Amino acid sequence: MLFSNVATTNGITVRVAVSFLAEQSDPSINRWFWSYHVRIENGGSRSVQLLSRSWTITDGRGGVHEVHGEGVVGEMPLIAPDGSFDYVSGCPLDTPTGSMAGSYRMVDEDGGAFDVDIPKFALLAPVN
């Protein structure tokens, strides 16, 4: 898995690898689907917990969709120093191209809250 999209904020590194899923896509009905694998690495000296996520999803026409919610994939992981957390999720679009970017709201073991950038990554269907 090649994590080609990387951002580091306050010692927390977010890596994203994206894959187009042809088997879940159907261009005849304007449906394209991607999966993305996220790895969150804690390079700091304190444990952190992921509380929530905010995504900005942009389709190929420039339409923007905001997504906000608690945790990721039903979890609010606690990530120890030098630890990491991985998860996989997906994104459907009605265009063959788009992009995603966002942030995670984290809290450290002293209760200090901060935002961590999720790097912008492209959603690109293969050209036939």
Side-chain angles (χ1 to χ4, degrees):
M1 180 70 45
L2 175 64
F3 291 98
S4 56
N5 307 280
V6 181
T8 301
T9 312
N10 294 333
I12 308 299
T13 299
V14 178
R15 302 179 189 277
V16 182
V18 62
S19 300
F20 177 70
L21 298 182
E23 66 277 7
Q24 293 187 32
S25 300
D26 187 348
S28 71
I29 60 168
N30 294 327
R31 178 181 165 83
W32 290 267
F33 197 88
W34 293 264
S35 72
Y36 54 92
H37 178 163
V38 177
R39 176 170 294 153
I40 304 166
E41 301 170 347
N42 183 356
S45 60
R46 297 169 179 250
S47 293
V48 297
Q49 185 172 20
L50 189 157
L51 299 179
S52 62
R53 68 193 184 284
S54 295
W55 287 103
T56 300
I57 303 165
T58 306
D59 68 26
R61 291 184 296 274
V64 175
H65 182 65
E66 300 280 339
V67 177
H68 306 281
E70 290 188 348
V72 289
V73 295
E75 297 187 51
M76 293 178 154
L78 181 65
I79 308 169
D82 295 322
S84 64
F85 178 80
D86 285 66
Y87 74 94
V88 176
S89 192
C91 179
L93 287 181
D94 61 4
T95 60
T97 62
S99 65
M100 292 178 66
S103 64
Y104 297 121
R105 185 72 165 169
M106 301 280 203
V107 63
D108 66 23
E109 56 193 46
D110 293 330
F114 60 99
D115 292 326
V116 171
D117 291 334
I118 302 169
K120 183 177 182 178
F121 55 95
L123 303 172
L124 302 171
V127 178
N128 293 337

